[in-house]
Amino acid sequence: MNIRWYLPDFEKKKEPFEWFCSDHFLSPNVFKRLQAEFPHTGYRQSHREEGDGKYYSTWDLLAIDNGIPASETWNNLTTAWKTMLKVILSDDYRHYFSTLMERDLSKTRLHVRFTIYHENCWLAPHCDRPDKILTQTLYFPTGHIEGGELLILGSSDPDDIKEAVAPSPNRSVILLPSSCSWHSVRKVVPGSQHARRALLLHYVCPENL
């Protein structure tokens, strides 16, 4: 399977902070196969509503930790997904985004996980940690999701919504973390027939691991 992305039409947004969005990240045939073979077992629930830091309720499956594929997950992936992760780990992929985003990713460590937001899952307003240089989200839903939008915020106020980005098929969003890059994920509505399925990439400074 020859996985490649089109030269994605990333639209650069400058308000309320710098972020990017593409509605056609992968070629259609590649996307459809990955969508159909998105892993659906092995997830662990992550839930936090107390203490310091960000609050969330999600289901996660570790794919790559510190630049190394997680063997338990890897052994259960399809050939298409193994190929996709190899592409993501490649120097070409890293270089492409280093150039496009004007961020030096050469010394960063990559962390990747599959995420599923079932009904009532959510992510509270937060800014990503400063050791995260770039984050990318790729969406693989199978139908219309009630809720689950990425909310671009102007502040820590959850109602200070500047833009709501639906988790549409083959959409990819890139955030460049900063002290003002507030964002959240709207709760998936109870009874929603489809879940918010995504692949999440974090490029992290090694000295902060």
Side-chain angles (χ1 to χ4, degrees), residues 4 11-12 53 59 67 75 78 92 111 125 150 157-158 173 197:
R4 66 174 181 85
E11 180 182 357
K12 184 177 182 179
W59 291 83
N75 293 336
T78 65
D92 286 345
H111 296 259
L150 170 66
D157 181 351
V173 175
R197 307 190 312 173

Side-chain angles (χ1 to χ4, degrees), residues 13-76:
K13 310 275 191 171
K14 295 184 177 181
E15 298 294 339
F17 53 85
E18 193 172 279
W19 59 286
F20 299 78
C21 183
S22 170
D23 290 335
H24 306 284
F25 184 70
L26 295 165
S27 62
N29 289 340
V30 167
F31 172 77
K32 288 178 182 179
R33 182 166 176 182
L34 293 174
Q35 179 190 47
E37 298 177 6
F38 194 89
H40 61 275
T41 60
Y43 290 80
R44 295 182 180 180
Q45 186 176 22
S46 300
H47 186 88
R48 183 181 184 186
E49 298 187 65
E50 300 178 346
D52 297 330
K54 65 182 180 183
Y55 307 138
Y56 45 81
S57 183
T58 69
W59 291 83
D60 300 308
L61 176 63
L62 182 64
I64 296 171
D65 185 26
N66 204 21
I68 301 173
S71 58
E72 186 174 348
T73 300
W74 184 266
N75 293 336
N76 291 298

